[in-house]
Amino acid sequence: MTAAIGGRRRQRSTRQGGLVRDQLAAADGFRSAQSVFSDLRARGEVIGLSTVYRHLQALADDGEADTLQTAEGEALYRLCGQTSHHHHHLVCRICGRTEEIEGRGVEQWAAQMAEQHGFTDVGHTIELLGICGACTADGTKS
Amino acid sequence: MTAAIGGRRRQRSTRQGGLVRDQLAAADGFRSAQSVFSDLRARGEVIGLSTVYRHLQALADDGEADTLQTAEGEALYRLCGQTSHHHHHLVCRICGRTEEIEGRGVEQWAAQMAEQHGFTDVGHTIELLGICGACTADGTKS
DNA sequence: CGCCTCAATGATAATGATTACCACACTTCG
DNA sequence: CGAAGTGTGGTAATCATTATCATTGAGGCG
């Protein structure tokens, strides 16, 4: 397998693929598939919902995008592959602003817990949801 | 803490409510609403899907049950209220066995990260998914 | 340059979990 | 006993996501 040759992609590069990627790149925070789709359509682009889902998943599979799920079960995507190292997110639950944070300590804690309980092959889901400074200021008066 | 006058609940206690609670109590790990429902039905109990969802959510609201979501967007519930302090879970992705773990360090880390980025009112979602000792042994030969 | 092959696309139907609705049963109280 | 109201549960509706499948466009080859 000539697998990991540079940026070689196994699939053809298409206009739609670029659109989805661009749309993600343009956003600061996480975007839902549905919102990416409707935004693209709103901009007059011609693209199908299926295609958006397809590319979003492809990006996630390639590790170029991170995903997380809202409490309502909606999947959110974000381009993060640039920083190739493992990291987590601190997301504003109001404006959606997302900060990337490191979790050295957490990784260790997770590994330790796993070992302590005899678990192997342990992965973790860690997301922090809060309200960012700007939004806190806004909401103060309410 | 005789506060709430024993087990006083604001709603009537019904047979179905007990069934759902029992079914959850009987399980070691997290259960999906659908599975609780079909198990109950399989045992010959007469109960509606709506009712199962209702009670599951009620338990979650009362803080008597914890919830988490699978990657496929399915909600899972587990009775955990007994241990009233905040904790996290280490779940076996094969057999579903669940260990409750403490996260002193993690809580601190989360709070610290939040402060560092000017976020307030920060909550976190932390779940560890792995393979427990028993299942590791089973899968060794594969 | 035109053709051929096949991945990519996209409209639509299907799926699956969850919720909304609503008529009916059972409790409780007067 | 009857009124009033909560809880129930079947069914339809919702919503995100996935599968289906005929059509389109990309690229390589002759």
Side-chain angles (χ1 to χ4, degrees), chain A residues 11 14 16 41 50-51 54-55:
Chain A
Q11 60 246 6
T14 63
Q16 289 87 342
R41 273 300 180 85
S50 315
T51 308
R54 223 172 344 234
H55 281 287

Side-chain angles (χ1 to χ4, degrees), chain A residues 39-67:
Chain A
D39 274 18
L40 244 21
R41 273 300 180 85
R43 287 203 330 208
E45 301 291 354
V46 176
I47 190 172
L49 179 57
S50 315
T51 308
V52 172
Y53 273 101
R54 223 172 344 234
H55 281 287
L56 247 20
Q57 287 204 344
L59 287 172
D61 285 349
D62 280 4
E64 297 190 56
D66 280 353
T67 70

Side-chain angles (χ1 to χ4, degrees), chain B residues 65-137:
Chain B
D66 281 353
T67 69
L68 61 80
Q69 311 220 158
T70 65
E72 305 89 51
E74 205 177 4
L76 304 184
Y77 300 81
R78 180 177 200 246
L79 270 198
C80 282
Q82 310 97 33
T83 56
S84 57
H85 70 295
H86 183 65
H87 61 272
H88 300 289
H89 301 102
L90 174 54
V91 186
C92 174
R93 69 169 66 107
I94 295 188
C95 67
R97 192 153 68 91
T98 302
E99 307 274 355
E100 296 191 2
I101 54 185
E102 288 211 27
R104 301 152 279 120
V106 186
E107 314 291 338
Q108 287 172 21
W109 168 78
Q112 182 187 329
M113 283 296 147
E115 188 180 4
Q116 211 169 96
H117 291 271
F119 277 57
T120 55
D121 192 22
V122 173
H124 49 266
T125 301
I126 302 182
E127 299 300 339
L128 304 186
L129 253 290
I131 299 180
C132 74
C135 291
T136 299

